């Protein structure tokens, strides 16, 4: 996980195993690959309305995702 240092305080996009797309600023992680993002949104895609963002705020992504 040491390579994540280059992404600290930058906007990142995570694609979860269930297909959700989360965008946020990387603020931290730990040895179990848990990731903390701030100013997050969940981006949903549809044919009718394109991309729609739902605000999430601070978000913790567990390492097993």
């Amino acid at each position: 996980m040491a390579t994540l240092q280059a992404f600290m305080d930058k906007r990142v996009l995570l694609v979860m195993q269930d297909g959700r797309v989360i965008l946020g600023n990387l603020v931290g992680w730990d040895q179990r690959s848990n990731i903390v993002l701030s100013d997050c949104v969940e981006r949903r895609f549809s044919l009718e309305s394109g991309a729609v963002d739902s605000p999430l705020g601070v978000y913790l992504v567990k390492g097993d995702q």
Side-chain angles (χ1 to χ4, degrees), residues 21-50:
V21 176
I22 309 292
L23 291 114
N25 297 322
L26 180 64
V27 294
W29 70 91
D30 65 13
Q31 67 276 9
R32 296 180 188 245
S33 301
N34 297 314
I35 295 176
V36 180
L37 303 173
S38 66
D39 301 321
C40 285
V41 295
E42 179 178 356
R43 182 160 290 167
R44 297 180 185 179
F45 301 93
S46 72
L47 295 175
E48 296 82 29
S49 58

Side-chain angles (χ1 to χ4, degrees), residues 8-25:
M8 278 296 290
D9 300 319
K10 294 187 178 159
R11 195 88 168 142
V12 295
L13 180 143
L14 301 178
V15 179
M16 310 306 242
Q17 288 181 345
D18 62 4
R20 289 180 294 152
V21 176
I22 309 292
L23 291 114
N25 297 322

